[in-house]
Amino acid sequence: MEVSISNFQGKWTGRIYGTNTGNVFMELSQTENQVQGIAHLCDDKFGIALYDISGSITDGTMIINGTPKQASEGGILGETTIIAELKQDGSLASRWETTIGSAGTVRLYPHNYEEKFSKTAEPEQIYNKIVPIGSVRLFKKDVNALFNIIEKDFSEGRLIVTYMQRSNEVTRFATDFVSNLDDIEELRSLKIFIQEPEAPGINKMVTVDFFERDSSSVRVSGINESWVVGKAESINKEIANYQNKVVTNYRRCGLRKPN
């Protein structure tokens, strides 16, 4: 797709940064200096969100407003404003902010998915499944087994683990995390995350959050409803093997050092 100052029409992909991070896919149509379309956001923490967008172009700057259309269960969205400028490499450098106080930057690149995905592959709906988790105690062998269950069905995505260590948030690939487990004395929280492209601008994703005091959960998103439901159930079934149904060791003691 050839991009010029007067032509913002087409498909755009990129990432947002700031108070929220994640992948974004935006599809625009244009009539003279007016644009409209839809934006798909895959937030790294809150999952999938859809926005109806519209705006105008003046002197190479595009100002668009986004109205929330669909959010993951429990997600809170605000009206969004994006101010984008076309750069020499054909990308859009933008600032975004919402009516609920979140803000940041976004970089978008023109993209043509027809080579990888046919038009019939574009999803009509995004499915999300959230399963609450009870009290859990994990040991090293349990962590490895859980990682294997989560990684199944992902051929491109890499499993990422985030945890607190000495009051600092640390993010590592799962392989590095497992290699350094003996150096971790105690875990008070643990986030396991993986995603990969499933359709134009849409990633299927799995997030497992373990918290000491807050609600822990399994979250699965994707365009295939049976996969989303089945994946969430298989992960929950694996975690059930480590749940303490009598004493809430997890809430009282946290995640103990794996053996």
Side-chain angles (χ1 to χ4, degrees), residues 25-38:
F25 169 70
M26 185 169 68
E27 188 166 14
L28 293 175
S29 60
Q30 180 176 338
T31 303
E32 296 182 349
N33 69 331
Q34 300 296 309
V35 293
Q36 61 182 3
I38 188 168

Side-chain angles (χ1 to χ4, degrees), residues 18-76:
T19 55
N20 300 67
T21 60
N23 295 328
V24 61
F25 169 70
M26 185 169 68
E27 188 166 14
L28 293 175
S29 60
Q30 180 176 338
T31 303
E32 296 182 349
N33 69 331
Q34 300 296 309
V35 293
Q36 61 182 3
I38 188 168
H40 304 252
L41 171 65
C42 182
D43 190 289
D44 291 338
K45 182 176 182 180
F46 299 107
I48 300 294
L50 302 182
Y51 290 83
D52 286 323
I53 54 178
S54 62
S56 60
I57 304 166
T58 303
D59 296 329
T61 298
M62 179 173 62
I63 301 177
I64 57 178
N65 297 309
T67 301
K69 181 178 181 180
Q70 176 182 321
S72 298
E73 184 177 347
I76 300 176

Side-chain angles (χ1 to χ4, degrees), residues 123-130 153 198 202 204-205 220-234:
E124 296 182 357
Q125 185 172 349
I126 306 299
Y127 297 94
N128 300 282
K129 179 71 174 179
I130 299 177
D153 305 325
E198 186 178 23
I202 301 295
K204 66 179 182 180
M205 59 185 291
V220 181
S221 297
I223 64 173
N224 186 317
E225 183 179 16
S226 60
W227 178 84
V228 169
V229 173
K231 189 69 172 180
E233 290 179 351
S234 66

Side-chain angles (χ1 to χ4, degrees), residues 97-153:
E97 60 183 27
T98 72
T99 53
I100 60 174
S102 51
T105 60
V106 57
R107 197 66 178 260
L108 299 169
Y109 297 87
H111 204 86
N112 189 337
Y113 280 96
E114 271 64 33
E115 294 182 1
K116 185 174 181 180
F117 299 105
S118 68
K119 291 184 178 180
T120 57
E122 294 185 2
E124 296 182 357
Q125 185 172 349
I126 306 299
Y127 297 94
N128 300 282
K129 179 71 174 179
I130 299 177
V131 181
I133 302 173
S135 303
V136 174
R137 173 174 285 182
L138 293 174
F139 297 93
K140 187 171 184 177
K141 62 181 179 62
D142 305 328
V143 171
N144 286 321
L146 181 58
F147 284 179
N148 289 335
I149 292 293
I150 296 174
E151 284 183 307
K152 186 178 180 181
D153 305 325

Side-chain angles (χ1 to χ4, degrees), residues 78-95:
E79 298 286 329
T80 302
T81 299
I82 301 174
I83 302 175
E85 293 184 353
L86 189 65
K87 296 301 182 180
Q88 291 182 356
D89 62 355
S91 67
L92 290 174
S94 313
R95 170 180 168 79

